[in-house]
Amino acid sequence: MTAAASLPGFASPAVGFDQPFEMLHACHDRVERSLSLLERLVAHVRGHGHDEDSRSAARDVLRYFDLAAPHHHQDEELHVLPPLLASGDPDQRALAAQLIAEHRRMEALWAVLRVPLEQWSEALPVSTVFPRPESLAEFTALYADHIAREEGRAYPMARALLDAASLADMGAEMGARRRASATGTPR
């Protein structure tokens, strides 16, 4: 069950920060692949026990939700949701507030889920049962609903409120923040 081998097409499309909303969509594809890998990991361990493949998959899931997912949420909270909050439209404001609250809930769930995954990534635990199935189910369902709300409503609304210069600034900031994070430079 190698992580890369179990995910056909794991490479993302060549989308750059000059297309920030396309980059956000590509991030959602990676979220969905990481969630799928997590579900397959739990099933693999339950059916076959722990092995190097399961440890590798656990490390891949940890890496995504520890590093990339927080950047993605920050992108949305810095660039997508502020125009909705400032729009004066009660529905847009409520949607933005809901998405922010969902980010906080996802972060809380991840804090719970990462503990057993960290153990699974480093050693051969005695248990082959994922200890928090209810948290895993909530995390997966919340992300699915959240992505649907963002792609179906929030992204189109925000995109309509942003001009070309704002989109260029958004993409530049998203890229700069990741480069700074990769080099350890505060931003």
Side-chain angles (χ1 to χ4, degrees):
M1 180 193 147
T2 61
S6 63
L7 292 173
F10 196 72
S12 296
V15 174
F17 289 106
D18 58 329
Q19 300 173 305
F21 279 95
E22 289 75 6
M23 179 64 77
L24 293 171
H25 284 288
C27 288
H28 283 168
D29 290 343
R30 288 187 292 274
V31 167
E32 289 167 341
R33 286 193 303 264
S34 295
L35 289 170
S36 176
L37 177 59
L38 176 56
E39 289 177 329
R40 289 193 318 273
L41 167 63
V42 170
H44 173 85
V45 169
R46 184 177 45 247
H48 305 288
H50 294 282
D51 54 25
E52 183 49 41
D53 288 340
S54 68
R55 287 190 299 278
S56 176
R59 286 189 295 270
D60 287 349
V61 171
L62 283 163
R63 188 172 26 261
Y64 184 80
F65 287 105
D66 280 348
L67 301 173
H71 278 301
H72 177 73
H73 290 177
Q74 191 174 20
D75 292 338
E76 293 168 342
E77 291 183 18
L78 290 173
H79 303 290
V80 175
L81 302 178
L84 301 182
L85 290 168
S87 73
D89 180 309
D91 291 333
Q92 289 183 8
R93 294 170 58 103
L95 176 61
Q98 177 183 5
L99 294 172
I100 292 168
E102 288 172 357
H103 285 170
R104 299 298 84 78
R105 181 64 186 149
M106 290 172 195
E107 291 162 5
L109 287 166
W110 178 243
V112 169
L113 296 173
R114 79 173 314 286
V115 173
L117 284 171
E118 193 168 43
Q119 293 168 355
W120 282 15
S121 75
E122 296 175 356
L124 296 175
V126 174
S127 176
T128 58
V129 176
F130 195 75
R132 302 300 301 260
E134 70 289 346
S135 295
L136 178 58
E138 182 183 354
F139 188 68
T140 302
L142 181 57
Y143 255 115
D145 292 343
H146 182 81
I147 288 170
R149 269 188 285 287
E150 287 179 339
E151 291 190 356
R153 296 182 59 214
Y155 288 4
M157 290 174 184
R159 189 177 223 153
L161 295 170
L162 297 171
D163 59 23
S166 297
L167 286 172
D169 290 345
M170 175 181 171
E173 194 283 331
M174 288 166 60
R177 191 163 21 84
R178 282 168 177 76
R179 284 187 298 279
S181 177
T183 63
T185 308
R187 173 122 172 100

